[in-house]
Amino acid sequence: MYEVRWPNKERWIFIFCDYPGEPDEFVVLLKAYRDMVHGKIRAISDSMQYKVDNDELGLIFQWDDCFGITVIVPKSTCRFVNHIGHYY
């Protein structure tokens, strides 16, 4: 199970899971998102950062053994999310 936090001021979403020190949960989440947007996963750096082609939000998925799973939200997407958030 995942616990998702609202983006912080640096536009990072922290995602907590049952086994935070293991990248397996990250892989499952990334593949599920890929399937949801019907895209293809591509690495954007050597440090476990990935994007999913066909993702209109342009999210960057990252995993490391310090922070676990994080998703970086681009500024343009963050503005959209904040705008929508005013209605809910």
Side-chain angles (χ1 to χ4, degrees):
M1 176 160 33
Y2 299 97
E3 177 187 339
V4 180
R5 301 280 169 90
W6 191 256
N8 65 14
K9 64 182 178 180
E10 287 83 23
R11 302 178 327 278
W12 284 45
I13 299 172
F14 291 93
I15 301 174
F16 302 94
C17 59
D18 294 335
Y19 303 103
E22 298 293 327
D24 297 343
E25 300 276 345
F26 172 73
V27 173
V28 169
L29 176 69
L30 185 58
K31 286 181 177 180
Y33 191 76
R34 173 204 61 196
D35 294 346
M36 186 179 78
V37 300
H38 308 289
K40 181 179 176 185
I41 298 170
R42 78 181 149 87
I44 59 171
S45 77
D46 293 335
S47 60
M48 290 193 74
Q49 283 191 331
Y50 302 91
K51 289 185 89 169
V52 177
D53 293 336
N54 207 35
D55 174 18
E56 294 179 6
L57 299 176
L59 303 176
I60 299 170
F61 293 82
Q62 176 177 295
W63 184 89
D64 64 45
D65 56 1
C66 180
F67 294 106
I69 302 171
T70 54
V71 178
I72 303 167
V73 181
K75 285 184 180 180
S76 58
T77 301
C78 198
R79 282 190 216 107
F80 172 74
V81 169
N82 286 337
H83 177 72
I84 295 299
H86 289 7
Y87 296 101
Y88 295 99

